[in-house]
Every structure is written in structure tokens, then in C-alpha cells.
């Protein structure tokens, strides 16, 4: 009874679902990607605008998703002997001023607290834009000897950076993240930490979120304010733009010198610690939406989906309750396999409405269960990634659920990977460069490393250097020599740089 | 080989361990309870002071404890169909001004944000002291019909209320909590929610934290700013003071009217929603410390302890590594039973130092494992609640671990309950009342319900009405009639009120 499944291909999906999409009221991606995004975020109950300039409200579905992201990463940090701490949200203004590059980077974005109760403060506080400074200050009190090191710390919380144009998850003046902060007795150990975390982020994106990302180092102009070197993972959205999905910074001794984070070495000398910081924020939910979504709405990779299977009892007045009870039985069997499943028990809402709503929310698998199916011992199954329904024996649907979810997960990763590779162009002239960027592609090009040239490229094309892929990156890692696509000077880095427009 | 165990009784413990405590450098409770508290918090690695006025840093042990509290409560909220959301940290100043009692209660404690970047704000923001106002505002946009209700929402986060005298966990200008917010179509349903949550809090305190608490309603003068009625759970600390460990508020239609949270009823009328709010904050960690701790430091109830068993390999240079390996084997067997266990592998630190440190941190069970023990197939076990070591066969120690932890949990709850009952006095004259409060007791007394009388009592004695125990409260629930201990007028409430000095 199994019908042939047709997995939805990105391009086909757009044309196929144009008409339907209008019914559900979501603008097709091809018409306006930005409108599509904003509508999906709101209608899928991920987030809403707030009365606070630039800040969003994470609604139940968005919050459930974020909690799953937090839980997975948190378990991994703990498994690697990292410890969570909780630092204050406020930072004394003078702390931000201590590291020169840091203050220059963050000053224009700071929220200032000038009053507590009726008392006007002599020294104002800022809402943390990031916590290197206050953590450096605390560490200076905690650190004595090399025996105390490493400090492997992180915290979950929110940070504040002014944003003029709000976009839920992507650009909000308050956003949610973990910030990792570690201190080490040697530069080598700190650098190994920075790479270990980058690799963990990569694994998380690939295996859990089905996001193919390029691991690489940032050019000097794109570094974090105050970092010695910055590494990132970059993903490609369905409109061809890049999204920086996570960063890991080697801070050298810059912050430890600014805050006196020093220790006695094994040979009784005094040295400043070598520090790192790293983060993944709630903007990764934006990456999930824009990498996998289609004109029907979200597509949740099963490994992160708060709900993996939705069961829809299809009955009429006289047998609806019975179908709900059958749905619950089926749900229990799926739950016993560790599947996250819900039964849609709402009465007085049409089946079509329910189908559309759960497709909009991107639930990986839908199972319909009607009285005739029950009689025949079958159920109707539809993957979110496919346009076809399948009629399966109930037993087959239950026993096959895990491999079905795995297949959807694999399909989403492959589809996103193919899309990224198909939309990345290797160029050797600036004209090709500009044309490719204009066409919404990433380009791989040689570059001199000159910051002024990067600035000029950005002015011409709105594209920036995303990163220089690492030698062990999964994509674009080839070592090559050449001349700069912009200046004709010898290329830096020994490989091509990824350029693209970014979120 | 089992020796007789002697459970440490509170009063004995103090005199027994005075001498030892001086070695570890913790002031005995009997000498200065406040110093004891501050030293334990700092030395046990729970929290540290911060450079931000009134704010603390939660260190790894404190953070691990808080995470376990969060996890337990969060699971229970979700199991009761409550949904987490994330609202902004900032609230427009005008929102706080909308509910008259609310602004009066919170205005003196507000943190004001007056500037973003270089822009001075026409309307400042405040850092949320609590989120009723902004949540009310959002709800007014989400609510249409009775079909949308109930809203069963909560969020985890921090809130800000100015504090002059900081005390870690108990009084900090930024503190951590969940705030539950629900909206219902009827007063009855909202009131049932308020009571359901209060009962959940009670269950959490009793079964997980081993804290006996009195469930009751607050008098009018002690209500939350803007509430129609406030319920609390109150626990007694080892110095006889009360600590409000959680609150649940029935807000009636006050906030829904202020923020336009209305809906169409089943019979097509327009009505304002009935709302509730409720919270447990990080101050509950203060209650844990002050209910169970002794002069050696913390005592962690096994059900909440981040580490339940510490294994100390006792070896010399030539066999230390072997003992560590044996310790790891033992740990694996305990972990297989779901026990949270750590092995102290530190070399170059004396056993005595390790014992003291883990006692200070209140780890429920210590297991020592030496080469001679290994030969004889035994281990040495010491409960944190006992002064005696026991030598047990290794197999017995492993198989008995769960019941041992359960016994410690039960012992701590019983000890705290006895202490609370022993230190609560029923009085019928104001002289007795004053004497009992002065002696550091709680009193049970009739009261007229007159707010002015409560004010006068507070001025005389520093004691406040903690709550009026509910009819189904575990303690002090008896219904009785009498005359007010202060004014001689007829007593309100139909039962005695609990009075005490409070944290």
C-alpha cells in the first residue's frame, strides 16, 4: 500500500505551493523573502514584536525550540568539564572603557542605566553587550596559581546591543545566548579550546540542526572587538545570504592585562592568563528558519523539533472522541520509542486548518487516523518534506518511525548542503565577483588581506569576507596560491576567502 | 562490621564542632549567624560579591544548585500544560505607572535606562522588577475569545529591585526566578490555579528541599503590590527567623483592566480576564543554607544535591593512582543506580583538607577507599548528618546507597520540622508575644486584621504577620475563635496568624 514518495526539491516547492501559500496567507519566498520570514515567525508562534524598541517576545514555540538548543549545548559543555556561572546583567561603565578596541566596538550600542530608585548614579552602569570585562574583573580575584587553571566557564542569559531595524531572532536589541569564557596557562591551550568549541558548534549545526556550515577564521577587519583571532561558522540562507551562526575568539592576553588576570607559574613567575570567549545566540533560530523553510512555512529538523510527530484524529461528531482515543494509543506507542509526539484534539476546527497549521510549524511527520483507516488497520502518513501522502499499515508506521525521522533529518542536511554548494561560485576577476554577489551567491576568491580593500569591496557590493575556511573544514578547505581578486596583489592566507552578503 | 550511626542533633552539633569549625575558619552559628552564613556562601563556592551595587555572582556550585531547582520546577510546569515564554528585560516606564498600587510598591526600587547609544530617551525604560505589566500588554493583543483561554505562561529570568544591604541569595538587587503568569475566563478557575501552584511549591519544598513550610494567605498589609490576595509558603531558619520561600497571587481583574486584557465570552459578551502570578526565586537557596547548615557548613538534601556522594581515594604516592582507579569503578556502580557521584582525584592535597571541603559543601555521603580497605573488601562511609564513620562491605555500601540517601533526606526534613514546631509558641497576651519574638521564636496569635495594628506590632517587635495558615496546611491549620492579642478586638480569619521576624 506504500505509495512512491517524492521529496520536495527547493525550486519545485516554490512553484508548486504558490497558490496554496496564498490561502494560508504566507507570502512566497520568491515574492519577498523578508516578508515570508516575518510572517512565518509570527504565524508559527515563534515570536512577536514587543513595545520595547528592538526587542522581541519569544512565544511558546520559539521558546520550546530555544530550550532544546540550550539543553543540547549545555549537556555538551558539562560533559567537557565546563561550569556554568551567573554574572550580573549590569556592568560598571568604567569596565567597558578599559580595553580600547572593546569600547570602540560597543560604545554606539550601549544601554545606559543612570538612576536607581531616585538616586542619580555618579558612575552609570551599562546593560552587558557581552561579559568579558566583568568576568575578567572577577577572575582577577579568583586566580592565584597555575594550579587554579584552566577556568572553563560559561553562562546562559541575554545581552543588549542597540538595533535600529529589528528582525525577530536575527537583529534584536536584547538577544539570548550562552557566552563561554575560559582562562588558560598557555597560549596553545587557549587556542586548542577555541578550536574545540568551534568544532562542537560545527557538530551541533550539522548533526542536530541539519545546517551545513563553513568553519573558518575571520579576517582582521571582521574580528570581535578586542580579539586576537576570531573563528566562525557560516551558513547559507535560502536567499543566498550568509549567516554567522557561532563564533569562537582567542583573546590572547588583551583582556587579562586590562583586568589583571594573572597567576604564578610553575616556576614561580608571574604571568597573565590566556583567555577565550565564544557564543551561539538565538539568531541561530533565524538560520534554522531560513535554511529549511519553504512556502508552506517552517521545516523542523527532527533532531531539534520540539514536536516530531503530530497525530490528527479524523472523525465526525459521532466518532471523534473514539478517534482521539485511538490517536492517544498510537502516540503512546511512538513515545515509547522516544519520539516527541502530540495529538491534535481540537474540535470545531477543520482538518484542512490543522494540516496547514502543523505544516506552517514544520512538524516533520503528520499521521492522520480516520474511522475507515482504523477498520483497515492503516494510517495515512505525510512527511513535511514530501508532497505525497502514504498509506501504511499501523504496525509499519510505528516500527518505521525512527528511520523515517532519520531520513527526514538526512534529507534536510543534504538539501541545504547541495544548495550551499550550488550557490557558491569560484571567481578570479572582480567583474565575476560583483556579478556573482549581485546574483545572490557566495564567492570564493583570493584576497590580499588588506582591510582597506575589504572596505572598498563592501562599499561596491555589500559583500564582506565571511571567513577563511580552516584546513580541516568540511567545505572549501583547499590550499591554493593566487592573486587578489580586487587589488591584484599576492593573495594572503594560502587559500580562497568566502565572500557574501550577510545577515 | 557496621558501626552504630549517631545522627547529629542541631544543638549537639554546635557544641561538638565549635573547635573544628575554627580550623576550617567558619564562624559557629551560635557566635554570629550572619557571619556564618556569609562565610559558608563564599567558602562553599556558592556565590561571590560583585562590583555591581547589590548584585552577586553565582559561582559553579551555586549555579549547579540553581539549575537543579530550575529543572525540577520546569518539568512540573510543563507536565501541567504550562508554556514558557521569554519577555524583554526592559519595560516602558509608562507601563509601570498604569496600575496604581503596583507603581507605589515598586517605584523606590526601579533601575532606569535613560540612554541607548548616544540617544537620550524621551520615555525611559525600567529594568523589570516583575513582568505583570508588559505581559498584560502582550496578552491584550493575543486574547480574543474565551476559546483562547487559559493562558498558562511562565518565564525564567532575572529581575531588578534596588537593595541597600546585599546578602547573597537573600537580598540582591538582581535576582533569579521564574515568574508564572496565567489568565482565565473565570475568577474560580484563576483562584484554583493560584492554589494549585501554592501546593506544587509546598510539595517541592517538602519532598525535594526537605524544607517544612507553612502554606497560608497573607494579610492585606503584606500583599503583593497590586494583588487581590497573596498566598505564601513560609519556612523557619535556624536562627528562628521566617523566610518567604514562594508566593502565588490572585490578581483578579486589576491588571487585565489596566492593560485591556479582555475576551468575548461564550455568550458573546465582553469580559476582562482573571489573572494570577507566582514565583520562587534564588532566595530559596538562602532557605536551604539556613535551614539545614551547621557549624561545619552546608548540608545538602540528597534530592537536590548536585553531588550526592563524594569518593575519596586514600592512597600514598605508590598506590594513589590505583586507588583513584578503584574509586572510579565504585563511582560507576553508584552511577548505574542513578546516583550523582564524584571522585576527588586531586593529588597534593591532604585527606583532612578534602574531608573538610566536602563537609563544608554539604555532600550527603562520603566514601573513603584505602589500600587496606581494598584488600579487606570494605569501604569507610560517613554521612554528612552523622559524626560517626561506618566500615561496610563494599557490596553493602553499593546496594544500600539509595536507602542511605533517602534516610538522610528524611532525617533533614524531620529535624527541620521538629525545629520549627519547637520554636513556635502559641500566645494569648501581647507581653508573651513580645517575649517570644525577642527570644527568636514564631508566635501563633489571634489578630484583628487591622493594618494599623500590624504596623504598630512591627514597630514594637520587628515582627510581621507571616501568613494565615490554610485549612489544609500541614501545620497550624486549626480553626479557632478568640480576641486580638494586640487590640483586644474580635479576631479575624477564624484562626491564629503566624508572626515572626523575617528575612
Amino acid at each position: 500500500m506504500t505509495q512512491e514518495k517524492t521529496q520536495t526539491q527547493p525550486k519545485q516547492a516554490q512553484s508548486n505551493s504558490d497558490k496554496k501559500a496564498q490561502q494560508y496567507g504566507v507570502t512566497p519566498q520568491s515574492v519577498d523573502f523578508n516578508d515570508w520570514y516575518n510572517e512565518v515567525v509570527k504565524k508559527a508562534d515563534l515570536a512577536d514584536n514587543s513595545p520595547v524598541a528592538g526587542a522581541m517576545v519569544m512565544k511558546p514555540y520559539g521558546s520550546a525550540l530555544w530550550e532544546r538548543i540550550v539543553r543540547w549545548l549545555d549537556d555538551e559543555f558539562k560533559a567537557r568539564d565546563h561550569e556554568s556561572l551567573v554574572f550580573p546583567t549590569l556592568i560598571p561603565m568604567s569596565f567597558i572603557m578599559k580595553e580600547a578596541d572593546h569600547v570602540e566596538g560597543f560604545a554606539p550600542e550601549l544601554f545606559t542605566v543612570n538612576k536607581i530608585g531616585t538616586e542619580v548614579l555618579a558612575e552609570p552602569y551599562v546593560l552587558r553587550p557581552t561579559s568579558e570585562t566583568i568576568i575578567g574583573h572577577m577572575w582577577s580575584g579568583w586566580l592565584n596559581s597555575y594550579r587554579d587553571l584552566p577556568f572553563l566557564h560559561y553562562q546562559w542569559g541575554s545581552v543588549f546591543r542597540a538595533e535600529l531595524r529589528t528582525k525577530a531572532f536575527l537583529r534584536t536589541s536584547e538577544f539570548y545566548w550562552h557566552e563561554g569564557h575560559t582562562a588558560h596557562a598557555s597560549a596553545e591551550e587557549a587556542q586548542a579550546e577555541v578550536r574545540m568549541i568551534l568544532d562542537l558548534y560545527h557538530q551541533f549545526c550539522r548533526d542536530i540542526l541539519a545546517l551545513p556550515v563553513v568553519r573558518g577564521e575571520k579576517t582582521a577587519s571582521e574580528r570581535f572587538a578586542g580579539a586576537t583571532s576570531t573563528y566562525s561558522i557560516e551558513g547559507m540562507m535560502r536567499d543566498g545570504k550568509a549567516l554567522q551562526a557561532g563564533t569562537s575568539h582567542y583573546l590572547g592576553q588583551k583582556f587579562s592585562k586590562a583586568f589583571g588576570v594573572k597567576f604564578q607559574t610553575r616556576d614561580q613567575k608571574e604571568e597573565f592568563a590566556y583567555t577565550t570567549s565564544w557564543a551561539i545566540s538565538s539568531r541561530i533560530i533565524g538560520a534554522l528558519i531560513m535554511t529549511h523553510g519553504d512556502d508552506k512555512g517552517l521545516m523542523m529538523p527532527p533532531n531539534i523539533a520540539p514536536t516530531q510527530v503530530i497525530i490528527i484524529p479524523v472523525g465526525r461528531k459521532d466518532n471523534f472522541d473514539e478517534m482521539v482515543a485511538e490517536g492517544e494509543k498510537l502516540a503512546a506507542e511512538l513515545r515509547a520509542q522516544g519520539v516527541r509526539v502530540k495529538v491534535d484534539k481540537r474540535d470545531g476546527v477543520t482538518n484542512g486548518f490543522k494540516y496547514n497549521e502543523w505544516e506552517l510549524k514544520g512538524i516533520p511527520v503528520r499521521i492522520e487516523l480516520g474511522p475507515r483507516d482504523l477498520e483497515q488497520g492503516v494510517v495515512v502518513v505525510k512527511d513535511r518534506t514530501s508532497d505525497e501522502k502514504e498509506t501504511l499499515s499501523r504496525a509499519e508506521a510505528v516500527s518505521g518511525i525512527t528511520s523515517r525521522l532519520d531520513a527526514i533529518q538526512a534529507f534536510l542536511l543534504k538539501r541545504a548542503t547541495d544548495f550551499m554548494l550550488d550557490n557558491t561560485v569560484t571567481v578570479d576577476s572582480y567583474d565575476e565577483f560583483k556579478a556573482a554577489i549581485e546574483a545572490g551567491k557566495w564567492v570564493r576568491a583570493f584576497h590580499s588581506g588588506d582591510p582597506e580593500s575589504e572596505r572598498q569591496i563592501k562599499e561596491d557590493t555589500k559583500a564582506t569576507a565571511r571567513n577563511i575556511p580552516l584546513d580541516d573544514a568540511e567545505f572549501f578547505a583547499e590550499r591554493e596560491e593566487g592573486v587578489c581578486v580586487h587589488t591584484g596583489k599576492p593573495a594572503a592566507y594560502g587559500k580562497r576567502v568566502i565572500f557574501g552578503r550577510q545577515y
Side-chain angles (χ1 to χ4, degrees), chain A residues 40 74 91 115 160 196 216 251 255 275 277 355 418 426:
Chain A
V40 164
D74 195 75
I91 296 182
K115 217 164 82 173
F160 302 81
M196 184 276 284
L251 305 175
F255 283 89
T275 71
S277 69
Y355 298 163
D418 291 347
T426 302

Side-chain angles (χ1 to χ4, degrees), chain A residues 469-494:
Chain A
L470 291 169
D471 287 345
D472 64 350
E474 198 177 337
F475 308 105
F476 314 132
E478 300 84 346
R479 294 200 73 84
E480 282 180 84
E481 298 295 336
V483 296
C484 175
V485 74
H486 185 233
T487 62
K489 289 185 198 164
Y493 318 122

Side-chain angles (χ1 to χ4, degrees), chain A residues 159-170:
Chain A
V159 287
F160 302 81
R161 299 176 190 176
E163 281 290 353
L164 293 176
R165 295 157 309 137
T166 310
K167 191 164 180 173
F169 298 109
L170 293 173

Side-chain angles (χ1 to χ4, degrees), chain A residues 311-337:
Chain A
I311 296 176
I312 317 242
V314 179
R316 306 221 175 150
K317 277 216 167 94
D318 59 340
N319 57 19
F320 185 70
D321 289 348
E322 188 196 341
M323 285 305 109
V324 168
E326 287 297 327
E328 288 289 2
K329 268 191 228 164
L330 180 60
E333 290 173 48
L334 298 177
R335 271 188 208 114
Q337 295 179 68

Side-chain angles (χ1 to χ4, degrees), chain A residues 174-456:
Chain A
E174 176 172 15
F175 61 89
Y176 305 88
W177 74 350
H178 65 261
E179 47 183 321
H181 296 274
T182 70
H184 306 262
S186 75
E188 296 67 36
E189 200 185 301
Q191 281 160 342
E193 167 82 12
V194 168
R195 283 299 315 274
M196 184 276 284
I197 291 292
L198 193 75
D199 293 350
L200 174 65
Y201 286 174
H202 171 243
Q203 184 199 335
F204 173 60
C205 286
R206 185 192 55 200
D207 299 344
I208 307 301
L209 307 185
L211 299 181
V213 289
V214 179
R215 267 175 304 163
E217 184 172 355
K218 289 283 191 187
T219 61
S221 358
E222 297 287 329
R223 266 180 214 141
F224 172 71
T228 301
S229 47
T230 286
Y231 298 82
S232 74
I233 47 173
E234 305 277 338
M236 182 186 282
M237 306 301 99
R238 297 282 294 255
D239 62 352
K241 281 196 194 170
L243 188 144
Q244 175 181 294
T247 49
S248 186
H249 312 292
Y250 173 57
L251 305 175
Q253 295 177 310
K254 280 195 190 181
F255 283 89
S256 63
K257 283 184 176 165
F259 289 91
V261 184
K262 55 194 173 185
F263 63 98
Q264 202 170 49
T265 64
R266 203 178 285 264
D267 20 313
Q268 312 280 313
K269 285 178 196 152
E270 192 169 75
E271 193 174 6
F272 289 99
Y274 298 84
T275 71
T276 84
S277 69
W278 28 273
I280 280 183
S281 81
S282 44
R283 81 196 315 251
I284 204 154
I285 293 178
L288 257 185
I289 299 167
M290 292 195 293
T291 300
H292 300 308
D294 68 6
D295 288 350
K296 292 179 189 164
L298 301 172
M299 281 200 195
M300 281 292 159
N303 291 354
I304 199 71
T307 302
Q308 296 172 308
V309 176
I310 182 73
I311 296 176
I312 317 242
V314 179
R316 306 221 175 150
K317 277 216 167 94
D318 59 340
N319 57 19
F320 185 70
D321 289 348
E322 188 196 341
M323 285 305 109
V324 168
E326 287 297 327
E328 288 289 2
K329 268 191 228 164
L330 180 60
E333 290 173 48
L334 298 177
R335 271 188 208 114
Q337 295 179 68
V339 175
R340 296 182 292 279
V341 53
K342 266 193 185 168
V343 180
D344 188 340
K345 301 175 211 169
R346 288 175 297 176
D347 206 350
V349 176
T350 67
N351 293 326
F353 181 91
K354 290 182 179 181
Y355 298 163
N356 293 348
E357 181 171 309
W358 297 115
E359 287 192 338
L360 180 69
K361 291 196 170 189
I363 310 302
V365 175
R366 175 174 95 214
I367 303 182
E368 303 162 25
L369 184 59
R372 224 193 305 170
D373 302 324
L374 187 66
E375 237 167 62
Q376 298 175 3
V378 299
V379 292
V380 175
V381 180
K382 183 176 174 303
D383 294 351
R384 176 63 180 82
T385 45
S386 159
D387 279 341
E388 308 297 331
K389 290 185 178 190
E390 301 170 68
T391 301
L392 296 181
S393 81
R394 191 179 180 290
E396 202 181 341
V398 170
S399 67
I401 191 67
T402 308
S403 58
R404 175 177 295 271
L405 291 169
D406 288 348
I408 294 172
Q409 180 82 20
F411 170 77
L412 287 174
L413 179 61
K414 182 169 188 319
R415 193 184 68 157
T417 304
D418 291 347
F419 184 81
M420 181 181 76
L421 296 175
D422 289 350
N423 287 284
T424 302
V425 184
T426 302
V427 303
D428 286 309
S429 79
Y430 196 46
D431 282 341
E432 287 176 291
F433 184 111
K434 286 187 284 191
I437 293 292
E438 199 50 48
K441 313 273 182 191
W442 282 4
V443 303
R444 299 177 60 230
F446 291 113
H447 190 262
S448 64
D450 174 25
E452 172 51 28
S453 161
E454 277 184 57
R455 202 196 53 72
Q456 186 66 52

Side-chain angles (χ1 to χ4, degrees), chain A residues 98-120:
Chain A
K98 273 198 186 172
E99 209 291 317
D101 294 333
H102 197 65
V103 62
E104 197 191 318
F106 285 112
E109 305 177 359
L110 296 175
F111 285 65
T112 307
V113 172
N114 73 324
K115 217 164 82 173
I116 300 181
T118 54
E119 189 204 344
V120 176

